[in-house]
Amino acid sequence: MGIFGFFNKEKKETLDKGLSKTKESVFSKITHALVGKSKVDDDVLDDLEDVLISSDVGVETTLKIIKRIEKRAAADKYVTAGELTRLLREEIAELLMENNSQDAEHFAIPETSRPYVIMVVGVNGVGKTTTIGKLAYQFKKNGFNVYLGAADTFRAAAVEQLVVWGERVGVPVIKQKMGSDPASVAFDTLSSAKANNADVVIIDTAGRLHNKVNLMNELTKIKNVMKKVIPDAPHEVLLVLDGSTGQNAFEQAKQFTAATEVNALAITKLDGTAKGGVVIGISDQFRIPVKYIGLGERMEDIQVFRRMEFVNSLFGE
């Protein structure tokens, strides 16, 4: 086995392990639902609907999947219960593709003018700062010059945590004193990054959701100030969601997509939950591509989302 084959195998094992709770405690129920069944009938579809909803796929997305399975079963005239898993895998993969969750090969940035600016949003506690640190590690490993901006100035812990990650990864962190204007931090970060020929800039932001108007105004202000340094910044607004919160993650996605123009998702903590189906539902309901998934605490425990690998890990090859 070549070195690339080894790394791909290692990534697959990490993904399989990270999604094992979802697979074992939720999707294995499909097998039990099929015991004694020779074909896909209404009872099987009702059981499948219950399984998908209980895995936090969401009601609307579940009904969409069930309708697709019904259509396939009718077109094929006779679908055995044993073939149901294959149909489910195919339909979910197709659904993810329709929602722009295109497979990426590795951690890369588009061929745009540098630096490529990522503004990261999300409520406190979802793993936002940790995700930024992991991304910085991956981008640096791929040869990119990375700068971090500590624009969550309302929590001293957030700034301190980002500084620790910067030291661990070996990338500069631009910060100001506690309570400083977040937009000012973003301005300083982009100015410094631009002057030092950075490839990637990742800006942390506050995770308060108690007042949507204030949140919207703050994020808009940060974006407008960024444009003074780099006219088309931010290139990416990455919303970080905690996969273990299930339906609560849907509500957070609703709030943040209303507050700012989110165009990518990172879903964290999938290794500690049986609610991995939330990846499917959120991608479908918000039509925003899932770009990264978090599968553990180590710096290496973040992966570029690949739909077929994700679906195969849930249902088996």
Side-chain angles (χ1 to χ4, degrees), residues 137-157:
Y137 168 75
Q138 294 290 349
F139 285 131
K140 185 182 178 185
K141 194 170 74 168
N142 281 349
F144 296 117
N145 181 13
V146 184
Y147 269 65
L148 303 181
D152 184 356
T153 59
F154 296 95
R155 291 189 308 130

Side-chain angles (χ1 to χ4, degrees), residues 3-226:
I3 186 169
F4 293 109
F6 170 78
F7 283 128
N8 287 336
K9 182 173 182 291
E10 187 177 43
K11 286 178 181 178
K12 183 182 183 303
E13 288 173 351
T14 300
L15 182 63
D16 288 346
K17 183 179 178 182
L19 296 177
S20 62
K21 288 190 177 182
T22 298
K23 181 178 180 179
E24 291 166 11
S25 59
V26 182
F27 285 100
S28 62
K29 293 177 183 177
I30 294 172
T31 303
H32 298 298
L34 299 178
V35 173
K37 302 286 186 178
S38 60
K39 65 176 182 177
V40 174
D41 55 20
D42 289 343
D43 289 339
V44 169
L45 291 173
D46 285 344
D47 288 340
L48 177 59
E49 183 177 317
D50 291 340
V51 170
L52 293 175
I53 290 175
S54 71
S55 68
D56 283 279
V57 169
V59 175
E60 290 184 39
T61 302
T62 292
L63 294 177
K64 190 180 294 186
I65 292 170
I66 295 298
K67 188 174 290 185
R68 287 172 176 238
I69 297 292
E70 280 184 307
K71 188 175 181 180
R72 286 282 296 273
D76 295 345
K77 303 301 181 186
Y78 184 83
V79 175
T80 67
E83 292 177 300
L84 180 60
T85 302
R86 175 182 59 82
L87 289 184
L88 195 57
R89 181 195 295 118
E90 291 174 359
E91 291 303 328
I92 289 175
E94 184 65 28
L95 195 68
L96 289 169
M97 188 173 182
E98 290 171 9
N99 299 329
N100 298 316
S101 290
Q102 300 288 355
D103 295 357
E105 289 303 316
H106 53 80
F107 290 86
I109 56 176
E111 291 296 328
T112 59
S113 57
R114 302 293 169 92
Y116 183 76
V117 181
I118 303 170
M119 185 171 79
V120 182
V121 301
V123 300
N124 299 331
V126 297
K128 182 159 53 75
T129 308
T130 299
T131 297
I132 292 170
K134 290 177 179 179
L135 287 175
Y137 168 75
Q138 294 290 349
F139 285 131
K140 185 182 178 185
K141 194 170 74 168
N142 281 349
F144 296 117
N145 181 13
V146 184
Y147 269 65
L148 303 181
D152 184 356
T153 59
F154 296 95
R155 291 189 308 130
V159 177
E160 291 167 5
Q161 188 183 7
L162 196 66
V163 169
V164 169
W165 270 106
E167 291 171 351
R168 287 178 66 188
V169 177
V171 300
V173 177
I174 307 301
K175 62 175 184 174
Q176 293 182 10
K177 65 181 181 180
M178 180 74 175
S180 298
D181 182 5
S184 176
V185 178
F187 181 88
D188 285 353
T189 305
L190 264 63
S191 298
S192 182
K194 188 175 181 181
N196 289 282
N197 299 314
D199 299 303
V200 184
V201 179
I202 310 177
I203 304 290
D204 192 10
T205 63
R208 300 165 304 152
L209 260 182
H210 62 274
N211 188 318
K212 193 168 67 175
V213 174
N214 284 349
L215 175 69
M216 186 181 297
N217 290 341
E218 183 178 295
L219 295 177
T220 299
K221 181 180 176 183
I222 293 172
K223 289 167 71 174
N224 289 340
V225 168
M226 284 183 184

